[in-house]
Amino acid sequence: MNRIARRLLGSALALTLLAGPALAQPKTDPDWPCVQRKVATLSPGQLWTGPDIAAAGDWGSDNDAAVLAQKIASRRTELSQVDPLLTDFAGKFGTDKEAKDKALTRVYAGVFEVINGERDKVVGGIARYAQGQRRMAERIRDEADKISQTKDAPSATDATELPKDQSELETKFAWDRRIFQERSQSLTYVCEVPQLLEQRLGEIARMIQAKL
């Protein structure tokens, strides 16, 4: 095998190793590429110790609770803004603790549904992302094999110029390798999103419960 062919195969092997930790994670789900443990979905009770959620009524039918829930669930709203918003909301009920607690519980139910729904979409997207990376890694290995086979052929020993199709294959190999590496780096950050959403939900749940 000549030097160039060895370099190309080495690059393909490096991509396989790069994909390894990310694309061969938990045996229970081969499509989960993240170091973080996969939690497919959350349940309201995991983060809530307040009043019964079902007994509080449908959060979507309470316009004030729904508006607040959607506002504080959004990552555009800084966590530092959440507590004052909850204080203002709770203050509307005066001394009626039962009504206040039910309303705040509906707010939590809304926040949970919004954030968990966003989180579910992210988790599903990560799995599709990993599948695409796996297919790309296989394609890159195939491209490296084809380039190596051509360069090792007897007719290529004394060649001074690459055939057009060979040059195009090497260009495609280099481009695919670059995209693969960039996507692998991006995946590291994407994998943090479900956990960040879960942390946000937990913080908001804590703030709501402090108002009960």
Side-chain angles (χ1 to χ4, degrees), residues 172-191:
K172 188 174 188 304
F173 172 82
W175 180 252
D176 285 345
R177 181 180 60 182
R178 177 181 175 182
I179 292 174
F180 181 92
Q181 290 171 331
E182 290 177 351
R183 284 170 58 93
S184 294
Q185 292 169 356
S186 297
L187 185 60
T188 300
Y189 301 104
V190 174
C191 282

Side-chain angles (χ1 to χ4, degrees), residues 24-164:
Q25 277 293 319
K27 295 180 181 178
T28 54
D29 187 349
D31 290 328
W32 184 248
C34 304
V35 173
Q36 295 87 342
R37 181 175 63 90
K38 180 180 180 180
V39 178
T41 191
L42 304 176
S43 63
Q46 285 178 255
L47 303 166
W48 182 252
T49 59
D52 182 68
I53 295 174
D58 177 24
W59 71 273
S61 64
D62 182 340
N63 185 66
D64 290 342
V67 169
L68 178 60
Q70 291 169 356
K71 181 176 181 61
I72 64 178
S74 171
R75 283 183 283 174
R76 290 191 295 270
T77 301
E78 297 289 338
L79 282 174
S80 60
Q81 298 176 277
V82 172
D83 194 67
L85 289 170
L86 289 171
T87 297
D88 290 343
F89 179 80
K92 296 176 182 179
F93 298 91
T95 58
D96 191 344
K97 186 177 188 306
E98 182 179 357
K100 179 198 69 174
D101 287 357
K102 284 187 176 182
L104 286 170
T105 301
R106 289 193 291 271
V107 172
Y108 169 74
V111 170
F112 175 84
E113 189 167 325
V114 172
I115 292 182
N116 192 48
E118 182 181 354
R119 186 183 176 282
D120 285 347
K121 291 179 182 178
V122 172
V123 169
I126 288 173
R128 292 190 295 273
Y129 197 100
Q131 292 168 0
Q133 282 292 85
R134 187 177 294 110
R135 289 192 294 270
M136 179 170 282
E138 292 170 356
R139 184 169 72 245
I140 291 171
R141 286 194 293 271
D142 289 342
E143 291 167 356
D145 286 341
K146 290 177 183 177
I147 293 171
S148 176
Q149 290 167 8
T150 302
K151 289 184 178 297
D152 281 343
S155 59
T157 304
D158 299 323
T160 57
E161 293 185 4
L162 291 174
K164 181 180 179 182

